[in-house]
Amino acid sequence: TVDNLIDLLHYNNIPIWEFFSRLNQTDEMKRQEIENFENTMLDAFYDNDKEKIKKLKPLIEESNLSNKNKEDEILQLEAWLESMKKPDEKPNIELRNKIKDKIFSIPNFNKTKVTLFCNFIQFYDFETDKIIGKKIVEQYINTTNTKMQIALLAIIDNILAYALNDKKENSVNYFIENGEKIKSKPELVFYKSVFYFFKNVINYRLTNNKESYINGKRTISFLIDVGMNTYGHSLEKLL
């Protein structure tokens, strides 16, 4: 049965899309096209480049994706733009609820659900972020899958950032402890650097340890030096 096949693929750590892409090359091309769109949105987010995201919309509409895939990608595009709004801009509550409904329509914390939550974590309140974040960390903390480790660190980084913003630094020890458990490797350098920054700034807030403050400044310098200028300067402003 289909269920037996999926169980076998999961048991042998074979991604379902990879298995079926060998049977249908068109599906593999569509999957790659979706991945390219989503990677471009993510890059533009870190560069704070709204125009780059907006320019993707006609490309998605003219692509060979199915109507359902186009709707999903345009929804994500609109959600990225929504997430880039400044605090004084009016939030689009209907859009935010649509994203949250989409996340919770997925029955378990699979890669798609984790990625969506990771990307749009700010649409939830801090306490909800912690509850969902803890469930995801508990499920995947021992994973060796690099993409899932990136998602975990991104979730942890965001929760630490919101703890600082809400002055709830004492409530995130669980996330700091688990962020430490994820070993560094080349693909994780950015996310581990951001984790190191927030961990030190939180420690500085709690203990007034000047060494932690200096570590935060060093991390900012590193990020700017390797080309993450926009993000580095946003951390500098926060510090």
Side-chain angles (χ1 to χ4, degrees):
T1 67
V2 172
D3 286 341
N4 294 150
L5 172 59
I6 290 172
D7 286 342
L8 282 167
L9 293 175
H10 285 165
Y11 181 82
N12 289 285
N13 294 316
I14 299 171
I16 295 173
W17 65 262
E18 184 180 295
F19 178 81
F20 285 105
S21 71
R22 295 177 187 177
L23 306 180
N24 190 331
Q25 292 299 314
T26 302
D27 282 349
E28 169 60 12
M29 289 172 64
K30 287 180 179 178
R31 188 198 67 80
Q32 187 61 55
E33 194 168 17
I34 289 171
E35 195 169 285
N36 290 340
F37 283 136
E38 293 181 356
N39 286 339
T40 302
M41 291 181 212
L42 186 62
D43 289 343
F45 171 78
Y46 281 118
D47 288 335
N48 196 32
D49 191 341
K50 291 183 180 181
E51 291 306 312
K52 188 174 183 179
I53 294 178
K54 290 176 182 177
K55 287 176 182 176
L56 283 177
K57 189 170 183 178
L59 298 179
I60 293 170
E61 291 172 338
E62 294 165 12
S63 71
N64 293 318
L65 298 177
S66 68
N67 288 336
K68 176 68 168 60
N69 287 146
K70 288 179 183 180
E71 287 174 9
D72 287 344
E73 292 308 298
I74 289 172
L75 178 62
Q76 283 206 57
L77 181 151
E78 291 172 346
W80 278 119
L81 292 173
E82 178 69 15
S83 72
M84 295 167 76
K85 282 184 175 178
K86 296 177 181 178
D88 59 347
E89 292 184 80
K90 186 179 179 180
N92 185 334
I93 301 300
E94 183 180 349
L95 174 61
R96 294 182 181 217
N97 286 336
K98 201 170 181 181
I99 287 290
K100 289 193 277 189
D101 289 343
K102 183 174 176 60
I103 291 172
F104 279 99
S105 69
I106 303 169
N108 53 50
F109 285 112
N110 60 16
K111 179 179 179 291
T112 301
K113 187 169 184 174
V114 171
T115 302
L116 275 173
F117 175 69
C118 170
N119 289 343
F120 305 114
I121 189 172
Q122 69 208 77
F123 293 168
Y124 298 87
D125 63 81
F126 179 62
E127 293 304 320
T128 304
D129 283 337
K130 286 200 301 177
I131 292 168
I132 299 174
K134 188 172 182 180
K135 288 181 179 178
I136 293 171
V137 170
E138 286 173 350
Q139 183 173 338
Y140 289 106
I141 191 59
N142 294 317
T143 184
T144 57
N145 181 286
T146 300
K147 288 186 177 180
M148 191 57 72
Q149 288 176 326
I150 287 173
L152 282 182
L153 282 170
I155 289 169
I156 290 170
D157 291 347
N158 278 307
I159 287 174
L160 298 187
Y162 299 148
L164 275 172
N165 188 59
D166 292 353
K167 296 184 179 180
K168 294 181 179 178
E169 299 89 341
N170 284 311
S171 67
V172 289
N173 284 340
Y174 173 85
F175 296 100
I176 292 175
E177 289 170 3
N178 281 281
E180 296 278 17
K181 292 178 184 177
I182 301 173
K183 294 182 179 179
S184 296
K185 52 186 175 183
E187 299 90 339
L188 303 181
V189 168
F190 168 69
Y191 299 92
K192 286 290 283 187
S193 298
V194 175
F195 170 75
Y196 183 72
F197 170 83
F198 283 116
K199 180 187 76 169
N200 274 282
V201 175
I202 285 174
N203 188 56
Y204 175 68
R205 263 268 182 91
L206 294 173
T207 66
N208 204 32
N209 183 318
K210 290 184 179 179
E211 185 63 30
S212 294
Y213 180 84
I214 292 168
N215 288 339
K217 286 192 70 74
R218 285 175 180 156
T219 307
I220 290 169
S221 296
F222 167 74
L223 290 171
I224 292 173
D225 287 345
V226 297
M228 297 292 294
N229 297 314
T230 304
Y231 193 79
H233 287 305
S234 71
L235 293 185
E236 195 169 44
K237 185 177 178 182
L238 183 151
L239 191 60

PDB file of all heavy atoms in Angstrom, residues 135-152:
ATOM      1  N   LYS A 135       8.493  21.794  21.265  1.00  0.00           N
ATOM      2  CA  LYS A 135       8.059  20.522  20.670  1.00  0.00           C
ATOM      3  C   LYS A 135       8.945  20.145  19.481  1.00  0.00           C
ATOM      4  O   LYS A 135       9.310  18.975  19.307  1.00  0.00           O
ATOM      5  CB  LYS A 135       6.594  20.623  20.222  1.00  0.00           C
ATOM      6  CG  LYS A 135       5.605  20.651  21.378  1.00  0.00           C
ATOM      7  CD  LYS A 135       4.179  20.726  20.861  1.00  0.00           C
ATOM      8  CE  LYS A 135       3.178  20.741  22.022  1.00  0.00           C
ATOM      9  NZ  LYS A 135       1.772  20.859  21.543  1.00  0.00           N
ATOM     10  N   ILE A 136       9.298  21.136  18.662  1.00  0.00           N
ATOM     11  CA  ILE A 136      10.146  20.874  17.497  1.00  0.00           C
ATOM     12  C   ILE A 136      11.555  20.492  17.933  1.00  0.00           C
ATOM     13  O   ILE A 136      12.144  19.543  17.402  1.00  0.00           O
ATOM     14  CB  ILE A 136      10.172  22.111  16.567  1.00  0.00           C
ATOM     15  CG1 ILE A 136       8.792  22.338  15.949  1.00  0.00           C
ATOM     16  CG2 ILE A 136      11.230  21.938  15.471  1.00  0.00           C
ATOM     17  CD1 ILE A 136       8.646  23.639  15.193  1.00  0.00           C
ATOM     18  N   VAL A 137      12.099  21.212  18.912  1.00  0.00           N
ATOM     19  CA  VAL A 137      13.435  20.898  19.411  1.00  0.00           C
ATOM     20  C   VAL A 137      13.466  19.484  19.991  1.00  0.00           C
ATOM     21  O   VAL A 137      14.393  18.705  19.721  1.00  0.00           O
ATOM     22  CB  VAL A 137      13.892  21.929  20.473  1.00  0.00           C
ATOM     23  CG1 VAL A 137      15.173  21.446  21.164  1.00  0.00           C
ATOM     24  CG2 VAL A 137      14.131  23.288  19.821  1.00  0.00           C
ATOM     25  N   GLU A 138      12.454  19.132  20.782  1.00  0.00           N
ATOM     26  CA  GLU A 138      12.397  17.789  21.377  1.00  0.00           C
ATOM     27  C   GLU A 138      12.392  16.712  20.296  1.00  0.00           C
ATOM     28  O   GLU A 138      13.011  15.652  20.452  1.00  0.00           O
ATOM     29  CB  GLU A 138      11.144  17.650  22.244  1.00  0.00           C
ATOM     30  CG  GLU A 138      11.234  18.393  23.566  1.00  0.00           C
ATOM     31  CD  GLU A 138       9.923  18.382  24.334  1.00  0.00           C
ATOM     32  OE1 GLU A 138       8.887  17.965  23.748  1.00  0.00           O
ATOM     33  OE2 GLU A 138       9.922  18.798  25.507  1.00  0.00           O
ATOM     34  N   GLN A 139      11.709  16.972  19.189  1.00  0.00           N
ATOM     35  CA  GLN A 139      11.599  15.978  18.128  1.00  0.00           C
ATOM     36  C   GLN A 139      12.871  15.848  17.304  1.00  0.00           C
ATOM     37  O   GLN A 139      13.225  14.742  16.874  1.00  0.00           O
ATOM     38  CB  GLN A 139      10.420  16.334  17.211  1.00  0.00           C
ATOM     39  CG  GLN A 139      10.175  15.303  16.099  1.00  0.00           C
ATOM     40  CD  GLN A 139       8.900  15.598  15.325  1.00  0.00           C
ATOM     41  OE1 GLN A 139       8.003  16.271  15.811  1.00  0.00           O
ATOM     42  NE2 GLN A 139       8.815  15.085  14.107  1.00  0.00           N
ATOM     43  N   TYR A 140      13.593  16.961  17.101  1.00  0.00           N
ATOM     44  CA  TYR A 140      14.685  16.935  16.125  1.00  0.00           C
ATOM     45  C   TYR A 140      16.074  17.237  16.688  1.00  0.00           C
ATOM     46  O   TYR A 140      17.035  17.302  15.927  1.00  0.00           O
ATOM     47  CB  TYR A 140      14.386  17.932  14.997  1.00  0.00           C
ATOM     48  CG  TYR A 140      13.274  17.492  14.082  1.00  0.00           C
ATOM     49  CD1 TYR A 140      12.025  18.110  14.156  1.00  0.00           C
ATOM     50  CD2 TYR A 140      13.457  16.475  13.164  1.00  0.00           C
ATOM     51  CE1 TYR A 140      10.982  17.715  13.320  1.00  0.00           C
ATOM     52  CE2 TYR A 140      12.430  16.073  12.323  1.00  0.00           C
ATOM     53  CZ  TYR A 140      11.196  16.694  12.398  1.00  0.00           C
ATOM     54  OH  TYR A 140      10.186  16.293  11.566  1.00  0.00           O
ATOM     55  N   ILE A 141      16.237  17.403  17.992  1.00  0.00           N
ATOM     56  CA  ILE A 141      17.521  17.844  18.526  1.00  0.00           C
ATOM     57  C   ILE A 141      18.652  16.875  18.187  1.00  0.00           C
ATOM     58  O   ILE A 141      19.817  17.283  18.084  1.00  0.00           O
ATOM     59  CB  ILE A 141      17.446  18.085  20.059  1.00  0.00           C
ATOM     60  CG1 ILE A 141      18.709  18.789  20.544  1.00  0.00           C
ATOM     61  CG2 ILE A 141      17.206  16.793  20.800  1.00  0.00           C
ATOM     62  CD1 ILE A 141      18.989  20.126  19.910  1.00  0.00           C
ATOM     63  N   ASN A 142      18.355  15.602  18.000  1.00  0.00           N
ATOM     64  CA  ASN A 142      19.405  14.617  17.690  1.00  0.00           C
ATOM     65  C   ASN A 142      19.568  14.355  16.196  1.00  0.00           C
ATOM     66  O   ASN A 142      20.317  13.455  15.803  1.00  0.00           O
ATOM     67  CB  ASN A 142      19.113  13.302  18.419  1.00  0.00           C
ATOM     68  CG  ASN A 142      19.210  13.448  19.923  1.00  0.00           C
ATOM     69  OD1 ASN A 142      20.130  14.077  20.441  1.00  0.00           O
ATOM     70  ND2 ASN A 142      18.239  12.883  20.634  1.00  0.00           N
ATOM     71  N   THR A 143      18.892  15.134  15.368  1.00  0.00           N
ATOM     72  CA  THR A 143      18.999  14.915  13.932  1.00  0.00           C
ATOM     73  C   THR A 143      20.400  15.249  13.424  1.00  0.00           C
ATOM     74  O   THR A 143      21.085  16.117  13.971  1.00  0.00           O
ATOM     75  CB  THR A 143      17.968  15.766  13.161  1.00  0.00           C
ATOM     76  OG1 THR A 143      18.045  15.438  11.765  1.00  0.00           O
ATOM     77  CG2 THR A 143      18.237  17.255  13.312  1.00  0.00           C
ATOM     78  N   THR A 144      20.813  14.564  12.377  1.00  0.00           N
ATOM     79  CA  THR A 144      22.086  14.888  11.711  1.00  0.00           C
ATOM     80  C   THR A 144      21.823  15.541  10.361  1.00  0.00           C
ATOM     81  O   THR A 144      22.762  15.841   9.624  1.00  0.00           O
ATOM     82  CB  THR A 144      22.927  13.617  11.510  1.00  0.00           C
ATOM     83  OG1 THR A 144      22.163  12.655  10.764  1.00  0.00           O
ATOM     84  CG2 THR A 144      23.336  13.009  12.846  1.00  0.00           C
ATOM     85  N   ASN A 145      20.538  15.767  10.046  1.00  0.00           N
ATOM     86  CA  ASN A 145      20.170  16.400   8.786  1.00  0.00           C
ATOM     87  C   ASN A 145      20.486  17.900   8.866  1.00  0.00           C
ATOM     88  O   ASN A 145      19.957  18.611   9.716  1.00  0.00           O
ATOM     89  CB  ASN A 145      18.672  16.185   8.514  1.00  0.00           C
ATOM     90  CG  ASN A 145      18.220  16.802   7.212  1.00  0.00           C
ATOM     91  OD1 ASN A 145      18.097  18.012   7.103  1.00  0.00           O
ATOM     92  ND2 ASN A 145      17.975  15.961   6.228  1.00  0.00           N
ATOM     93  N   THR A 146      21.364  18.373   7.987  1.00  0.00           N
ATOM     94  CA  THR A 146      21.839  19.751   8.060  1.00  0.00           C
ATOM     95  C   THR A 146      20.706  20.765   7.895  1.00  0.00           C
ATOM     96  O   THR A 146      20.654  21.768   8.620  1.00  0.00           O
ATOM     97  CB  THR A 146      22.917  20.003   6.981  1.00  0.00           C
ATOM     98  OG1 THR A 146      24.008  19.109   7.207  1.00  0.00           O
ATOM     99  CG2 THR A 146      23.432  21.432   7.039  1.00  0.00           C
ATOM    100  N   LYS A 147      19.795  20.529   6.964  1.00  0.00           N
ATOM    101  CA  LYS A 147      18.694  21.477   6.744  1.00  0.00           C
ATOM    102  C   LYS A 147      17.805  21.585   7.981  1.00  0.00           C
ATOM    103  O   LYS A 147      17.337  22.670   8.331  1.00  0.00           O
ATOM    104  CB  LYS A 147      17.872  21.064   5.519  1.00  0.00           C
ATOM    105  CG  LYS A 147      18.591  21.307   4.204  1.00  0.00           C
ATOM    106  CD  LYS A 147      17.708  21.026   3.009  1.00  0.00           C
ATOM    107  CE  LYS A 147      18.428  21.357   1.707  1.00  0.00           C
ATOM    108  NZ  LYS A 147      17.582  21.095   0.513  1.00  0.00           N
ATOM    109  N   MET A 148      17.586  20.452   8.645  1.00  0.00           N
ATOM    110  CA  MET A 148      16.769  20.491   9.850  1.00  0.00           C
ATOM    111  C   MET A 148      17.521  21.170  10.996  1.00  0.00           C
ATOM    112  O   MET A 148      16.926  21.892  11.798  1.00  0.00           O
ATOM    113  CB  MET A 148      16.355  19.070  10.251  1.00  0.00           C
ATOM    114  CG  MET A 148      15.297  19.028  11.331  1.00  0.00           C
ATOM    115  SD  MET A 148      13.781  19.932  10.892  1.00  0.00           S
ATOM    116  CE  MET A 148      13.067  18.850   9.665  1.00  0.00           C
ATOM    117  N   GLN A 149      18.843  20.983  11.056  1.00  0.00           N
ATOM    118  CA  GLN A 149      19.651  21.673  12.068  1.00  0.00           C
ATOM    119  C   GLN A 149      19.606  23.186  11.850  1.00  0.00           C
ATOM    120  O   GLN A 149      19.537  23.958  12.808  1.00  0.00           O
ATOM    121  CB  GLN A 149      21.090  21.171  12.024  1.00  0.00           C
ATOM    122  CG  GLN A 149      21.263  19.760  12.561  1.00  0.00           C
ATOM    123  CD  GLN A 149      22.693  19.252  12.414  1.00  0.00           C
ATOM    124  OE1 GLN A 149      23.386  19.575  11.446  1.00  0.00           O
ATOM    125  NE2 GLN A 149      23.131  18.448  13.366  1.00  0.00           N
ATOM    126  N   ILE A 150      19.629  23.600  10.579  1.00  0.00           N
ATOM    127  CA  ILE A 150      19.518  25.027  10.258  1.00  0.00           C
ATOM    128  C   ILE A 150      18.172  25.565  10.759  1.00  0.00           C
ATOM    129  O   ILE A 150      18.102  26.632  11.377  1.00  0.00           O
ATOM    130  CB  ILE A 150      19.664  25.252   8.737  1.00  0.00           C
ATOM    131  CG1 ILE A 150      21.128  25.062   8.318  1.00  0.00           C
ATOM    132  CG2 ILE A 150      19.169  26.642   8.327  1.00  0.00           C
ATOM    133  CD1 ILE A 150      21.349  25.088   6.817  1.00  0.00           C
ATOM    134  N   ALA A 151      17.096  24.815  10.492  1.00  0.00           N
ATOM    135  CA  ALA A 151      15.760  25.248  10.937  1.00  0.00           C
ATOM    136  C   ALA A 151      15.707  25.339  12.460  1.00  0.00           C
ATOM    137  O   ALA A 151      15.161  26.302  13.011  1.00  0.00           O
ATOM    138  CB  ALA A 151      14.702  24.283  10.413  1.00  0.00           C
ATOM    139  N   LEU A 152      16.279  24.347  13.150  1.00  0.00           N
ATOM    140  CA  LEU A 152      16.287  24.365  14.615  1.00  0.00           C
ATOM    141  C   LEU A 152      17.010  25.596  15.144  1.00  0.00           C
ATOM    142  O   LEU A 152      16.522  26.287  16.038  1.00  0.00           O
ATOM    143  CB  LEU A 152      16.976  23.108  15.163  1.00  0.00           C
ATOM    144  CG  LEU A 152      16.186  21.803  15.174  1.00  0.00           C
ATOM    145  CD1 LEU A 152      17.029  20.698  15.797  1.00  0.00           C
ATOM    146  CD2 LEU A 152      14.893  21.950  15.932  1.00  0.00           C
TER     147      LEU A 152
END
